[in-house]
Each structure stands twice: as C-alpha cells, then as structure tokens.
Amino acid sequence: MRALIWDLGGTLVDTYPDVDRALAEALRAEPDQELLHEVAVLTRRSSSEAITELAARHEVPEARLRAAYEATKEQWARRPPPLKDGAREVLAAVRERGGLNLVATHRDRESAAALLDSLGLEVDDMVCAPDGHPRKPAPDMVLSLLARHELTAGECLAVGDRPADVEAARAAGVEGVLLETPGIPLEAPGARRIHSLRDLIPML
C-alpha cells in the first residue's frame, strides 16, 4: 500500500464531542443525553445537513446553530480537540512502510490546516472541498489525490467515519474502511468496518 487517504474530522481528529455539545447547547442550555444522541446521529451523516435538520425539528434559527458550529472551530485554535485513539500510531506505521498520509476533507483549508498545526500533525497532502471539489460521496477529492501523487486506486486505502467517505473512495476505485462510532448505526453495505484506527495497521 502506497497511501492511506484519511478523512479529517471524526476520523483523524475527535471533533464530534465538541461539535455535538455546541449544537445541542444552541438548542437547549442544558442538553440531556437524549438530545446529545439525536444530534450525534445527524452529525455522523453531515454536520451541515444536521444543522438544517435540527433547526427545522426544534424550530430555531439555522443561523444560531451555524454560529455555534463556527464558534467551536474558533475555540479549537486555543484548545484543539484530541486525536482519535491510535491515530499517531497509524500515521507512523504508514510512514515506516514508505507510504503517504493524505487527507480529503469537507473542512475549509484554513480551518483544516489550523487543526493539524495545533495538534502538531504533518500529512503529505490535503485536498479540501471548498477549494473547488464537490463534497463526498462524490469521488473527486480522492481522484485528485490519486492524480497528484501518480497513484493507482489499488495502491491505496481510505478511512472515514461516515458512509459518504466509504462511498467516495469506492467510486474512485479505492477500498474504503468505515471507522464505527459506538451507539451510532451507519449503513455502509459491503464496507470493511473497524472499531479502532489501530485495526488499520494489519491492512497497510
């Protein structure tokens, strides 16, 4: 394997707890576990779609939820979210095997770069949807990384925490692996599933 293509938020970096709590608190000052779970189920599909859906369900302005989401990203500049368990080990294992760590993310480049810098992470390349790529499950970001690094699909593996990550990889001919979130059911027919990033090491 010559490259591992990472999703960023929720896969490489554990962003969900902060995002889920920020959105839940924008709905209710003291959210209970039921509300946090409702938010979590939606954000695992798409944060942007979750905001729209939550605003409609709870009859609150969508702008309030988007502001809470943006404030969370600003907070990360001072107090970044943690890496997902096992992330540093897998990044190192890819490098030790002479492979590339590549990132395909929906996050804007400034925010994504700031997140990586705040955690002291170095990756070999990154493509961001706001740079002009359609969002996953479109395969364009994955195809861009393959072209930039003269990789064939069979030389790569992709990992993400959402079905759209797996679908984007598959549409580009790359095997996609789904990192499961405990308690959040996700449909990804035929995809290999892992419970820990460390499960990737034997696949490299």
Side-chain angles (χ1 to χ4, degrees):
M1 194 208 72
R2 290 182 57 202
L4 180 58
I5 301 172
W6 296 83
D7 173 56
L8 183 57
T11 302
L12 186 54
V13 184
D14 194 11
T15 51
Y16 282 128
D18 288 345
V19 170
D20 293 347
R21 180 155 291 279
L23 295 180
E25 288 179 348
L27 296 170
R28 190 182 305 158
E30 295 184 7
D32 55 20
Q33 287 303 311
E34 183 178 353
L35 180 56
L36 286 166
H37 185 263
E38 177 189 354
V39 172
V41 169
L42 293 172
T43 57
R44 294 331 180 263
R45 295 206 308 260
S46 160
S47 296
S48 182
E49 290 175 17
I51 287 170
T52 299
E53 176 70 18
L54 289 166
R57 282 187 192 179
H58 294 270
E59 299 182 336
V60 300
E62 192 170 321
R64 182 197 300 177
L65 293 167
R66 295 204 178 277
Y69 180 64
E70 291 303 319
T72 301
K73 291 197 288 186
E74 291 172 12
Q75 165 195 309
W76 288 336
R78 302 183 302 276
R79 185 171 59 81
L83 285 175
K84 292 290 282 189
D85 185 48
R88 287 195 193 276
E89 291 172 49
V90 179
L91 288 163
V94 171
R95 286 192 204 98
E96 286 165 8
R97 289 160 172 76
L100 299 172
N101 286 298
L102 309 174
V103 172
T105 178
H106 288 169
R107 194 174 300 276
D108 66 89
R109 182 164 295 276
E110 183 179 355
S111 168
L115 199 53
L116 292 173
D117 288 346
S118 67
L119 291 163
L121 285 185
E122 292 185 10
V123 296
D124 296 293
D125 197 4
M126 177 169 63
V127 292
C128 303
D131 288 346
H133 301 284
R135 294 167 67 89
K136 305 168 192 175
D140 299 59
M141 287 192 285
V142 176
L143 291 169
S144 175
L145 287 169
L146 297 183
R148 279 154 65 155
H149 297 278
E150 299 181 341
L151 298 163
T152 65
E155 296 174 316
C156 305
L157 190 67
V159 60
D161 61 283
R162 292 170 170 166
D165 299 315
V166 174
E167 291 166 21
R170 184 177 291 151
V174 174
E175 181 181 3
V177 178
L178 183 70
L179 175 63
E180 293 192 319
T181 301
I184 306 294
L186 294 172
E187 293 293 330
R192 273 204 276 186
R193 294 168 178 259
I194 56 174
H195 301 288
S196 164
L197 290 175
R198 292 188 183 88
D199 296 337
L200 289 168
I201 293 176
M203 305 179 197
L204 300 178

mmCIF file of all heavy atoms in Angstrom, residues 1-5 99-100 102 139 141-158 168-176:
data_model
loop_
_atom_site.group_PDB
_atom_site.id
_atom_site.type_symbol
_atom_site.label_atom_id
_atom_site.label_comp_id
_atom_site.label_asym_id
_atom_site.label_seq_id
_atom_site.Cartn_x
_atom_site.Cartn_y
_atom_site.Cartn_z
ATOM 1 N N MET A 1 0.836 -1.199 0.000
ATOM 2 C CA MET A 1 0.000 0.000 0.000
ATOM 3 C C MET A 1 0.869 1.246 0.000
ATOM 4 O O MET A 1 1.758 1.381 0.830
ATOM 5 C CB MET A 1 -0.904 0.003 1.236
ATOM 6 C CG MET A 1 -2.018 1.025 1.131
ATOM 7 S SD MET A 1 -2.564 1.630 2.725
ATOM 8 C CE MET A 1 -1.168 2.650 3.169
ATOM 9 N N ARG A 2 0.590 2.148 -0.943
ATOM 10 C CA ARG A 2 1.418 3.348 -1.084
ATOM 11 C C ARG A 2 0.819 4.575 -0.407
ATOM 12 O O ARG A 2 1.522 5.567 -0.207
ATOM 13 C CB ARG A 2 1.650 3.653 -2.561
ATOM 14 C CG ARG A 2 2.565 2.627 -3.257
ATOM 15 C CD ARG A 2 2.785 3.015 -4.700
ATOM 16 N NE ARG A 2 3.349 4.363 -4.809
ATOM 17 C CZ ARG A 2 3.253 5.104 -5.920
ATOM 18 N NH1 ARG A 2 2.606 4.646 -6.983
ATOM 19 N NH2 ARG A 2 3.787 6.315 -5.951
ATOM 20 N N ALA A 3 -0.469 4.549 -0.076
ATOM 21 C CA ALA A 3 -1.068 5.735 0.543
ATOM 22 C C ALA A 3 -2.311 5.363 1.340
ATOM 23 O O ALA A 3 -3.077 4.483 0.942
ATOM 24 C CB ALA A 3 -1.428 6.773 -0.523
ATOM 25 N N LEU A 4 -2.467 6.067 2.450
ATOM 26 C CA LEU A 4 -3.700 5.993 3.238
ATOM 27 C C LEU A 4 -4.380 7.352 3.125
ATOM 28 O O LEU A 4 -3.773 8.386 3.427
ATOM 29 C CB LEU A 4 -3.398 5.670 4.700
ATOM 30 C CG LEU A 4 -4.605 5.571 5.631
ATOM 31 C CD1 LEU A 4 -5.595 4.521 5.152
ATOM 32 C CD2 LEU A 4 -4.162 5.241 7.058
ATOM 33 N N ILE A 5 -5.609 7.330 2.654
ATOM 34 C CA ILE A 5 -6.372 8.566 2.480
ATOM 35 C C ILE A 5 -7.303 8.715 3.685
ATOM 36 O O ILE A 5 -8.204 7.907 3.884
ATOM 37 C CB ILE A 5 -7.165 8.553 1.164
ATOM 38 C CG1 ILE A 5 -6.199 8.393 -0.020
ATOM 39 C CG2 ILE A 5 -7.998 9.828 1.020
ATOM 40 C CD1 ILE A 5 -6.882 8.188 -1.358
ATOM 41 N N GLY A 99 4.864 4.853 2.856
ATOM 42 C CA GLY A 99 3.619 5.333 2.272
ATOM 43 C C GLY A 99 3.347 6.801 2.558
ATOM 44 O O GLY A 99 4.074 7.458 3.315
ATOM 45 N N LEU A 100 2.288 7.294 1.952
ATOM 46 C CA LEU A 100 1.869 8.683 2.112
ATOM 47 C C LEU A 100 0.611 8.756 2.976
ATOM 48 O O LEU A 100 -0.293 7.929 2.847
ATOM 49 C CB LEU A 100 1.551 9.304 0.746
ATOM 50 C CG LEU A 100 2.687 9.364 -0.278
ATOM 51 C CD1 LEU A 100 2.140 9.818 -1.630
ATOM 52 C CD2 LEU A 100 3.794 10.291 0.196
ATOM 53 N N LEU A 102 -2.470 11.040 3.295
ATOM 54 C CA LEU A 102 -3.184 12.050 2.526
ATOM 55 C C LEU A 102 -4.539 12.314 3.183
ATOM 56 O O LEU A 102 -5.132 11.411 3.761
ATOM 57 C CB LEU A 102 -3.383 11.567 1.087
ATOM 58 C CG LEU A 102 -2.117 11.068 0.365
ATOM 59 C CD1 LEU A 102 -2.479 10.488 -0.996
ATOM 60 C CD2 LEU A 102 -1.097 12.190 0.232
ATOM 61 N N PRO A 139 -16.462 11.335 -5.797
ATOM 62 C CA PRO A 139 -15.105 10.811 -5.660
ATOM 63 C C PRO A 139 -14.002 11.811 -6.003
ATOM 64 O O PRO A 139 -12.815 11.468 -5.944
ATOM 65 C CB PRO A 139 -15.087 9.660 -6.661
ATOM 66 C CG PRO A 139 -15.994 10.118 -7.756
ATOM 67 C CD PRO A 139 -17.101 10.882 -7.046
ATOM 68 N N MET A 141 -12.366 14.392 -4.736
ATOM 69 C CA MET A 141 -11.210 14.659 -3.877
ATOM 70 C C MET A 141 -10.248 13.480 -3.866
ATOM 71 O O MET A 141 -9.025 13.654 -3.907
ATOM 72 C CB MET A 141 -11.663 15.020 -2.457
ATOM 73 C CG MET A 141 -12.276 16.394 -2.353
ATOM 74 S SD MET A 141 -12.485 16.940 -0.644
ATOM 75 C CE MET A 141 -13.889 15.957 -0.133
ATOM 76 N N VAL A 142 -10.796 12.281 -3.827
ATOM 77 C CA VAL A 142 -9.952 11.076 -3.846
ATOM 78 C C VAL A 142 -9.233 10.975 -5.187
ATOM 79 O O VAL A 142 -8.016 10.722 -5.239
ATOM 80 C CB VAL A 142 -10.802 9.819 -3.579
ATOM 81 C CG1 VAL A 142 -9.938 8.560 -3.686
ATOM 82 C CG2 VAL A 142 -11.463 9.895 -2.216
ATOM 83 N N LEU A 143 -9.944 11.203 -6.281
ATOM 84 C CA LEU A 143 -9.335 11.144 -7.604
ATOM 85 C C LEU A 143 -8.243 12.191 -7.760
ATOM 86 O O LEU A 143 -7.202 11.941 -8.398
ATOM 87 C CB LEU A 143 -10.402 11.335 -8.687
ATOM 88 C CG LEU A 143 -11.403 10.181 -8.831
ATOM 89 C CD1 LEU A 143 -12.557 10.596 -9.744
ATOM 90 C CD2 LEU A 143 -10.714 8.925 -9.361
ATOM 91 N N SER A 144 -8.454 13.366 -7.172
ATOM 92 C CA SER A 144 -7.436 14.421 -7.231
ATOM 93 C C SER A 144 -6.151 13.981 -6.539
ATOM 94 O O SER A 144 -5.049 14.187 -7.058
ATOM 95 C CB SER A 144 -7.979 15.702 -6.585
ATOM 96 O OG SER A 144 -6.976 16.703 -6.538
ATOM 97 N N LEU A 145 -6.283 13.349 -5.385
ATOM 98 C CA LEU A 145 -5.096 12.873 -4.665
ATOM 99 C C LEU A 145 -4.380 11.772 -5.458
ATOM 100 O O LEU A 145 -3.141 11.743 -5.516
ATOM 101 C CB LEU A 145 -5.492 12.365 -3.282
ATOM 102 C CG LEU A 145 -5.866 13.443 -2.266
ATOM 103 C CD1 LEU A 145 -6.508 12.818 -1.031
ATOM 104 C CD2 LEU A 145 -4.639 14.265 -1.865
ATOM 105 N N LEU A 146 -5.137 10.879 -6.067
ATOM 106 C CA LEU A 146 -4.524 9.826 -6.877
ATOM 107 C C LEU A 146 -3.721 10.440 -8.022
ATOM 108 O O LEU A 146 -2.572 10.031 -8.274
ATOM 109 C CB LEU A 146 -5.593 8.892 -7.445
ATOM 110 C CG LEU A 146 -6.442 8.072 -6.462
ATOM 111 C CD1 LEU A 146 -7.393 7.161 -7.235
ATOM 112 C CD2 LEU A 146 -5.590 7.252 -5.517
ATOM 113 N N ALA A 147 -4.308 11.425 -8.696
ATOM 114 C CA ALA A 147 -3.640 12.038 -9.843
ATOM 115 C C ALA A 147 -2.401 12.807 -9.409
ATOM 116 O O ALA A 147 -1.341 12.717 -10.049
ATOM 117 C CB ALA A 147 -4.618 12.958 -10.577
ATOM 118 N N ARG A 148 -2.513 13.558 -8.308
ATOM 119 C CA ARG A 148 -1.398 14.385 -7.863
ATOM 120 C C ARG A 148 -0.178 13.561 -7.472
ATOM 121 O O ARG A 148 0.955 14.010 -7.609
ATOM 122 C CB ARG A 148 -1.850 15.267 -6.692
ATOM 123 C CG ARG A 148 -2.594 16.498 -7.172
ATOM 124 C CD ARG A 148 -3.567 17.067 -6.180
ATOM 125 N NE ARG A 148 -2.997 17.599 -4.969
ATOM 126 C CZ ARG A 148 -3.594 18.542 -4.235
ATOM 127 N NH1 ARG A 148 -4.756 19.047 -4.636
ATOM 128 N NH2 ARG A 148 -3.055 18.987 -3.129
ATOM 129 N N HIS A 149 -0.433 12.361 -6.982
ATOM 130 C CA HIS A 149 0.681 11.537 -6.492
ATOM 131 C C HIS A 149 0.939 10.314 -7.371
ATOM 132 O O HIS A 149 1.702 9.432 -6.974
ATOM 133 C CB HIS A 149 0.413 11.146 -5.039
ATOM 134 C CG HIS A 149 0.362 12.327 -4.132
ATOM 135 N ND1 HIS A 149 1.501 12.916 -3.616
ATOM 136 C CD2 HIS A 149 -0.685 13.072 -3.693
ATOM 137 C CE1 HIS A 149 1.154 13.962 -2.887
ATOM 138 N NE2 HIS A 149 -0.169 14.075 -2.919
ATOM 139 N N GLU A 150 0.332 10.323 -8.553
ATOM 140 C CA GLU A 150 0.531 9.240 -9.527
ATOM 141 C C GLU A 150 0.307 7.869 -8.875
ATOM 142 O O GLU A 150 1.123 6.954 -8.985
ATOM 143 C CB GLU A 150 1.929 9.331 -10.157
ATOM 144 C CG GLU A 150 2.143 10.644 -10.901
ATOM 145 C CD GLU A 150 3.511 10.731 -11.559
ATOM 146 O OE1 GLU A 150 4.418 9.977 -11.166
ATOM 147 O OE2 GLU A 150 3.665 11.555 -12.476
ATOM 148 N N LEU A 151 -0.817 7.764 -8.203
ATOM 149 C CA LEU A 151 -1.196 6.535 -7.519
ATOM 150 C C LEU A 151 -2.299 5.828 -8.285
ATOM 151 O O LEU A 151 -3.156 6.478 -8.901
ATOM 152 C CB LEU A 151 -1.713 6.860 -6.109
ATOM 153 C CG LEU A 151 -0.734 7.521 -5.140
ATOM 154 C CD1 LEU A 151 -1.493 8.154 -3.977
ATOM 155 C CD2 LEU A 151 0.277 6.504 -4.629
ATOM 156 N N THR A 152 -2.308 4.506 -8.222
ATOM 157 C CA THR A 152 -3.455 3.767 -8.722
ATOM 158 C C THR A 152 -4.381 3.479 -7.545
ATOM 159 O O THR A 152 -3.941 3.435 -6.391
ATOM 160 C CB THR A 152 -3.034 2.439 -9.375
ATOM 161 O OG1 THR A 152 -2.458 1.587 -8.375
ATOM 162 C CG2 THR A 152 -2.025 2.679 -10.486
ATOM 163 N N ALA A 153 -5.649 3.282 -7.848
ATOM 164 C CA ALA A 153 -6.628 3.045 -6.786
ATOM 165 C C ALA A 153 -6.252 1.834 -5.945
ATOM 166 O O ALA A 153 -6.419 1.829 -4.720
ATOM 167 C CB ALA A 153 -8.013 2.864 -7.393
ATOM 168 N N GLY A 154 -5.712 0.805 -6.587
ATOM 169 C CA GLY A 154 -5.378 -0.415 -5.869
ATOM 170 C C GLY A 154 -4.205 -0.280 -4.921
ATOM 171 O O GLY A 154 -3.972 -1.166 -4.086
ATOM 172 N N GLU A 155 -3.468 0.811 -5.034
ATOM 173 C CA GLU A 155 -2.323 1.046 -4.152
ATOM 174 C C GLU A 155 -2.718 1.793 -2.883
ATOM 175 O O GLU A 155 -1.865 2.073 -2.049
ATOM 176 C CB GLU A 155 -1.252 1.866 -4.887
ATOM 177 C CG GLU A 155 -0.639 1.165 -6.074
ATOM 178 C CD GLU A 155 0.301 2.067 -6.853
ATOM 179 O OE1 GLU A 155 -0.061 3.245 -7.100
ATOM 180 O OE2 GLU A 155 1.395 1.599 -7.215
ATOM 181 N N CYS A 156 -3.994 2.115 -2.755
ATOM 182 C CA CYS A 156 -4.439 2.996 -1.669
ATOM 183 C C CYS A 156 -5.536 2.352 -0.827
ATOM 184 O O CYS A 156 -6.219 1.424 -1.253
ATOM 185 C CB CYS A 156 -4.967 4.315 -2.237
ATOM 186 S SG CYS A 156 -3.790 5.167 -3.297
ATOM 187 N N LEU A 157 -5.694 2.921 0.352
ATOM 188 C CA LEU A 157 -6.769 2.574 1.266
ATOM 189 C C LEU A 157 -7.309 3.886 1.801
ATOM 190 O O LEU A 157 -6.544 4.845 1.986
ATOM 191 C CB LEU A 157 -6.213 1.717 2.410
ATOM 192 C CG LEU A 157 -7.199 1.037 3.376
ATOM 193 C CD1 LEU A 157 -7.989 -0.040 2.642
ATOM 194 C CD2 LEU A 157 -6.417 0.415 4.541
ATOM 195 N N ALA A 158 -8.603 3.964 2.013
ATOM 196 C CA ALA A 158 -9.205 5.190 2.553
ATOM 197 C C ALA A 158 -9.969 4.845 3.826
ATOM 198 O O ALA A 158 -10.578 3.783 3.926
ATOM 199 C CB ALA A 158 -10.153 5.826 1.538
ATOM 200 N N ALA A 168 -17.317 7.602 -1.432
ATOM 201 C CA ALA A 168 -16.417 8.405 -2.268
ATOM 202 C C ALA A 168 -15.209 7.587 -2.680
ATOM 203 O O ALA A 168 -14.779 7.615 -3.846
ATOM 204 C CB ALA A 168 -15.978 9.666 -1.522
ATOM 205 N N ALA A 169 -14.644 6.857 -1.721
ATOM 206 C CA ALA A 169 -13.493 6.012 -2.031
ATOM 207 C C ALA A 169 -13.863 4.949 -3.052
ATOM 208 O O ALA A 169 -13.164 4.750 -4.064
ATOM 209 C CB ALA A 169 -12.968 5.369 -0.743
ATOM 210 N N ARG A 170 -14.979 4.281 -2.810
ATOM 211 C CA ARG A 170 -15.408 3.197 -3.702
ATOM 212 C C ARG A 170 -15.641 3.717 -5.125
ATOM 213 O O ARG A 170 -15.279 3.056 -6.108
ATOM 214 C CB ARG A 170 -16.677 2.554 -3.147
ATOM 215 C CG ARG A 170 -17.166 1.351 -3.942
ATOM 216 C CD ARG A 170 -18.392 0.745 -3.282
ATOM 217 N NE ARG A 170 -18.071 0.121 -2.010
ATOM 218 C CZ ARG A 170 -18.919 0.014 -0.994
ATOM 219 N NH1 ARG A 170 -20.143 0.502 -1.095
ATOM 220 N NH2 ARG A 170 -18.555 -0.582 0.119
ATOM 221 N N ALA A 171 -16.230 4.899 -5.238
ATOM 222 C CA ALA A 171 -16.491 5.474 -6.561
ATOM 223 C C ALA A 171 -15.199 5.803 -7.304
ATOM 224 O O ALA A 171 -15.188 5.867 -8.541
ATOM 225 C CB ALA A 171 -17.348 6.730 -6.430
ATOM 226 N N ALA A 172 -14.105 5.995 -6.540
ATOM 227 C CA ALA A 172 -12.793 6.242 -7.149
ATOM 228 C C ALA A 172 -12.013 4.949 -7.344
ATOM 229 O O ALA A 172 -10.873 4.977 -7.812
ATOM 230 C CB ALA A 172 -11.999 7.206 -6.279
ATOM 231 N N GLY A 173 -12.604 3.815 -6.956
ATOM 232 C CA GLY A 173 -11.949 2.531 -7.102
ATOM 233 C C GLY A 173 -11.069 2.134 -5.936
ATOM 234 O O GLY A 173 -10.382 1.117 -5.975
ATOM 235 N N VAL A 174 -11.089 2.953 -4.875
ATOM 236 C CA VAL A 174 -10.262 2.714 -3.681
ATOM 237 C C VAL A 174 -11.097 1.992 -2.632
ATOM 238 O O VAL A 174 -12.283 2.313 -2.441
ATOM 239 C CB VAL A 174 -9.737 4.053 -3.113
ATOM 240 C CG1 VAL A 174 -8.998 3.843 -1.798
ATOM 241 C CG2 VAL A 174 -8.830 4.745 -4.128
ATOM 242 N N GLU A 175 -10.500 1.045 -1.931
ATOM 243 C CA GLU A 175 -11.228 0.405 -0.840
ATOM 244 C C GLU A 175 -11.406 1.397 0.305
ATOM 245 O O GLU A 175 -10.445 2.020 0.767
ATOM 246 C CB GLU A 175 -10.493 -0.832 -0.313
ATOM 247 C CG GLU A 175 -11.294 -1.498 0.806
ATOM 248 C CD GLU A 175 -10.643 -2.733 1.412
ATOM 249 O OE1 GLU A 175 -9.517 -3.084 1.007
ATOM 250 O OE2 GLU A 175 -11.279 -3.333 2.303
ATOM 251 N N GLY A 176 -12.641 1.530 0.771
ATOM 252 C CA GLY A 176 -12.937 2.407 1.897
ATOM 253 C C GLY A 176 -13.238 1.600 3.145
ATOM 254 O O GLY A 176 -13.939 0.587 3.086
#
